[in-house]
Amino acid sequence: VFGSARSLDDALQNISGISQTNTLGGTQDAFIRRGFGENRDGGILTNGLQTALPRSFNATTQSVEVLKGPASTLYGILDPGGAINVLTKKPARQFSGEATLSTTSFGGGSGSLDLTGPIAGTRLAYRLVADKQETDYWRNFGKTKEWLIAPSLTWFGDDTIITASYMYQDYSVPFDRGTIWKADGTGPIPLSRSTRLDEPFNITQGTSELASINLSHALANDWRVTVDYSYSRNKYSDNQARVTGYNDSNGNVTRRVDATQSAETSYHSARVDFAGSVEIGGKRNDLLFGAQYDYHQILRTDMNRCNSSYLFNIYNPSYGNVSTCSTPRASDSDQFERLKSPSLYVQDSLHLNQRWIIVAGARYQYYEQISGRGRPFVLNTDTSGGKVVPRVGAVFKLNASTSFYANAARSFKPQSSFSSFYGDLTPEEGTTYEIGAKWESAGGLSANVALYTTDKKNVVYNEVDNSITVTRTAGLVRARGLEIDLAGRLTRNWSLIASYGYTDAEVKDDPSYAGLRPVNIPRHTASLFASYDFGVLRGGDRLKVGGGLRGASNRAGINDNSYFLPGYAVADAFASYTLKMKYPVTVQLNLRNLFDRTYFTSSIGSTRYANAYGEPFNATLTASVRF
């Protein structure tokens, strides 16, 4: 309805129970779902498979779906809060194309091209997506530069469809950890939100690629087999002036110059599903049998650490007095992790009658994991094991538009640490119970309500110990909540998206943090957006306008809860005008943060020196032509 999403954060702003967490200086997607989640936690999928992509939303994205709670257990090693699945554009058998140009009030813009259609005389169809972006960062320095090329090809057989695709992306983005919170917890330091505390060389540069193949084959009696495989890789290097201290009395900032050079993350992910229906004892059974294999590897070679500290004063900021670091710290370099994880799963949806459905399933998850670091290399984690992860539920269909459900599931997630201090970490394990209702009108308006509770033990969190980030685990974290989502058409002209999420998350068992709230989890999230479609105007043109609010309550900014990021409410609006022509042209203006509110989206959680600002007021003008 509202269009012009630029990132996964934009795409998810109307979904209940989701908040942003530590994004590694704005370089990676990172979301908490129903009280659990972190960056690189495997919870963001592309076409149902885990990948190495740091940012999963790009010009190839067709749509985004959110799989919450027990419903996500079919997708491998995941947090109990759920998964975010990004679906990509596929070749079509009818020719079409779209060219788009946009510009932003921050400066710069982007352009993209999307072409698809059949290859004459064959059963093949192609798609080609290309995108280039160069925009100024909204703070006092920085620039985002990205380009992407993504060809794909589909073969349409009588019973079989095979799609092969490839995406390559080159990027250079600001590495910005935000601002410092005062030691007394009362708020950020007295500095303009546009003034950065690092250096112009705070940049992450890299390349990402994703190659995938999908096969779908129809068998007899409405059974179907699908095979999915993807290989992904992300290679990057970064430099940063990292804030390690601050003097509230005089405004002096202590910084250490760091760098990560020649880092690479790679993923192989494969999945085979057999799905169909059979009658057993006169009852319909929708069956799913499947197997999955995931392999991922992380290598960070030179971890450069310059030991000297450099002073920077917030009342007289001066840049360019330090240079990048080229000195590897032997004890911290050659960070390596490898995880192999095969699994088998089965699920049965038993239709007792026209109203009752019983769902039961289980997944056996095996893993082998090693990790360590250092020159010479020190192996810190060397572990393996397996676990049966069950799921059970029931659905009651009150009528054609309304249904109620209840389910329960276990979750399981192995974990590791590069640090030699802690050795093997016990896998995270969780139990979730959920009840809810779903309603959908004939006109397309839908609503979901859910109540859930999750207990998860051995939850990972990070702390800073002598300027080194180390990994620890909390004994038990509990998250309970309520979620309400409403979306669709109210009338012929009016459309609505509304959501509310209540998340009560608490550390229940931990020697340091029992009774405290985990970081970056607001108790309340909400959004309300409406749009009005004026329909066909004189001459055949069309006009849409819309706007609304999104916001969250306060969130713990650090593990010990010594400060909280304040709550916020932000207003956005848009107007879209489509000119009726041989090739229709649409011009859309998006206004974000209309009242220029200062707010914070997330913190790093382990120190008070990294708190990310939300964007100030900005406008994006987009023009696209379809042909």
Side-chain angles (χ1 to χ4, degrees), residues 36-80:
F36 299 102
E38 58 184 347
N39 56 58
R40 295 176 295 202
D41 65 2
I44 301 174
L45 314 174
T46 299
N47 298 321
L49 299 176
Q50 295 185 5
T51 74
L53 302 181
R55 291 284 193 180
S56 297
F57 188 99
N58 53 49
T60 68
T61 299
Q62 179 68 45
S63 61
V64 178
E65 60 183 15
V66 179
L67 308 167
K68 293 183 180 179
S72 65
T73 57
L74 288 174
Y75 290 86
I77 298 175
L78 294 172
D79 273 305

Side-chain angles (χ1 to χ4, degrees), residues 327-396:
T327 305
R329 177 184 287 176
S331 62
D332 208 25
S333 293
D334 292 343
Q335 297 183 0
F336 179 78
E337 176 182 279
R338 185 181 68 214
L339 173 65
K340 301 176 182 179
S341 181
S343 60
L344 298 170
Y345 49 90
V346 61
Q347 179 176 286
D348 181 15
S349 297
L350 170 61
H351 296 250
L352 296 177
N353 51 45
Q354 291 185 346
R355 293 194 171 187
W356 281 99
I357 303 172
I358 304 299
V359 180
R363 183 184 193 98
Y364 175 73
Q365 191 79 52
Y366 179 79
Y367 72 95
E368 295 178 358
Q369 188 171 33
I370 62 171
S371 68
R373 68 179 182 184
R375 296 175 179 166
F377 184 75
V378 177
L379 185 65
N380 174 59
T381 298
D382 187 359
T383 184
S384 63
K387 191 78 173 181
V388 175
V389 183
R391 176 195 175 195
V392 64
V395 178
F396 175 70

Side-chain angles (χ1 to χ4, degrees), residues 401 438-448 485-489 496 498:
S401 61
K438 297 184 178 183
W439 172 83
E440 186 169 352
S441 72
L445 186 66
S446 63
N448 303 315
D485 293 277
L486 179 68
R489 299 179 68 90
L496 179 75

Side-chain angles (χ1 to χ4, degrees), residues 16 20 41 62 68 135 159-160 169 179 188 209 241 248 274 296 305 320 331 363 371 388 427 429 491 513 522 532 608:
S16 62
Q20 187 188 92
D41 65 2
Q62 179 68 45
K68 293 183 180 179
T135 55
D159 300 311
T160 306
Q169 184 176 33
T179 194
E209 58 183 327
D248 283 301
F274 292 89
H296 86 250
R305 302 289 184 263
S331 62
R363 183 184 193 98
S371 68
V388 175
E429 296 188 53
T491 68
Y513 302 128
Y532 186 83
R608 63 186 176 99

